[in-house]
């Protein structure tokens, strides 16, 4: 709220720019220390109700496809949230199982098992050519970093890599796998970059230690490269 609005019981809706009163004749009612709690309560109620018409229409649209009344009998709102948005706890092992590698991180022929080699020969299904294991040291460091991250940090990594902060509920629910690419043209100074539309993270294969990789990964996560759309004043040369 702008400071000049805090002297009375009124509220500026930033979404539409309309100034409303929290109470009848609220603009004439001064905001004081004594009535501050009432003001906060009315402010909260007004904010929550700001989009009630739009939310009602969204619910109506969902109800045309999903039997809402039946769902609310079967599930709590928390269970429904997790079914739609995914589990709040980031399962690194499930993420590993849904990750493929390319560029310098591809497993070499010597490192590929016979069974995997037979799969690669089958070109009828492009998905069978995906490399689902990598012995590259930078890849190992990345997983160690993610494993030691807090759940909030893992969520932020997902936002950086995929534009969402939760994993699907199961491996079968992944629309596509995370792709980790070792770009040989990148240098030690290069920062990790992402393409959220493709769930793709590009790393330099030349990082010299896990500490260097973690520092650069945290820098990219903090600035939320997100396809390089909005980096503000950040020097982008290291991303190239």
């Amino acid at each position: 709220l702008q400071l000049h609005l805090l002297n009375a019981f009124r509220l500026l809706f930033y979404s539409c720019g309309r100034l409303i009163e929290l109470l009848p004749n609220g603009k004439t009612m001064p905001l004081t220390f004594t009535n501050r709690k009432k003001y906060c309560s009315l402010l909260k109620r007004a904010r929550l109700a700001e989009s009630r018409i739009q939310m009602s229409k969204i619910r109506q649209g969902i109800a045309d496809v999903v039997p809402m009344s039946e769902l609310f009998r079967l599930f709590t709102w928390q269970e429904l949230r997790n079914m739609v948005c995914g589990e709040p706890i980031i399962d690194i092992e499930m993420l590993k199982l849904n990750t493929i590698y390319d560029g310098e991180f591809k497993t070499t022929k010597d490192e590929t098992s016979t069974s995997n080699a037979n799969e690669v020969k089958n070109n009828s299904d492009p998905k069978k050519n995906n490399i689902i294991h990598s012995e590259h040291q930078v890849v190992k460091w990345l997983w160690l970093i993610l494993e030691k991250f807090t759940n909030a940090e893992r969520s932020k990594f997902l936002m950086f890599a995929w534009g969402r902060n939760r994993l699907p509920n199961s491996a079968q629910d992944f629309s596509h796998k995370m792709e980790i690419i070792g770009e040989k043209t990148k240098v030690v100074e290069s920062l990790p970059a992402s393409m959220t539309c493709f769930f793709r993270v590009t790393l330099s294969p030349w990082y010299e230690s896990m500490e260097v990789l973690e520092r650069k990964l945290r820098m990219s996560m903090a600035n939320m490269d997100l396809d390089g759309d909005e980096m503000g004043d950040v020097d982008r040369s290291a991303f190239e």
Side-chain angles (χ1 to χ4, degrees), residues 96-119:
K96 280 184 181 181
L97 293 174
N98 285 276
T99 298
I100 59 177
Y101 306 91
D102 206 343
E104 294 297 302
F105 296 156
K106 275 187 175 180
T107 305
T108 64
K109 291 182 179 179
D110 292 338
E111 296 166 336
T112 306
S113 66
T114 303
S115 60
N116 285 339
N118 291 333
E119 287 187 1

Side-chain angles (χ1 to χ4, degrees), residues 178-237:
M178 178 166 74
E179 186 177 7
I180 300 179
I181 299 176
E183 179 53 66
K184 65 181 180 180
T185 61
K186 286 183 174 290
V187 295
V188 175
E189 292 77 16
S190 297
L191 295 173
S194 66
M195 297 184 70
T196 55
C197 294
F198 302 102
F199 198 6
R200 180 181 299 162
V201 176
T202 303
L203 303 173
S204 166
W206 315 121
Y207 294 128
E208 298 171 339
S209 69
M210 187 170 74
E211 291 72 23
V212 170
L213 172 57
E214 181 176 354
R215 184 173 67 253
K216 292 183 178 297
L217 179 61
R218 288 183 180 277
M219 188 180 301
S220 289
M221 289 164 52
N223 288 287
M224 281 297 172
D225 183 33
L226 296 182
D227 303 332
D229 293 333
E230 295 182 5
M231 290 295 293
D233 296 328
V234 175
D235 181 7
R236 290 195 49 77
S237 60

Side-chain angles (χ1 to χ4, degrees), residues 90-191:
I90 309 300
D91 186 342
I92 293 299
E93 289 305 315
M94 184 167 71
L95 182 58
K96 280 184 181 181
L97 293 174
N98 285 276
T99 298
I100 59 177
Y101 306 91
D102 206 343
E104 294 297 302
F105 296 156
K106 275 187 175 180
T107 305
T108 64
K109 291 182 179 179
D110 292 338
E111 296 166 336
T112 306
S113 66
T114 303
S115 60
N116 285 339
N118 291 333
E119 287 187 1
V120 171
K121 290 179 182 179
N122 186 347
N123 293 322
S124 60
D125 184 355
K127 292 183 179 180
K128 291 186 177 181
N129 292 327
N130 289 340
I131 303 300
I132 59 173
H133 181 67
S134 177
E135 291 295 330
H136 198 284
Q137 186 60 60
V138 171
V139 172
K140 293 181 178 180
W141 285 337
L142 176 64
W143 289 118
L144 288 174
I145 291 167
L146 293 178
E147 285 169 0
K148 79 170 187 175
F149 269 4
T150 65
N151 195 67
E153 290 170 330
R154 293 175 183 180
S155 181
K156 195 166 186 177
F157 170 79
L158 269 186
M159 182 63 71
F160 164 73
W162 204 3
R164 55 183 288 174
N165 56 16
R166 296 188 183 197
L167 288 176
N169 286 308
S170 67
Q172 292 72 29
D173 294 329
F174 277 72
S175 57
H176 48 284
K177 297 179 182 292
M178 178 166 74
E179 186 177 7
I180 300 179
I181 299 176
E183 179 53 66
K184 65 181 180 180
T185 61
K186 286 183 174 290
V187 295
V188 175
E189 292 77 16
S190 297
L191 295 173

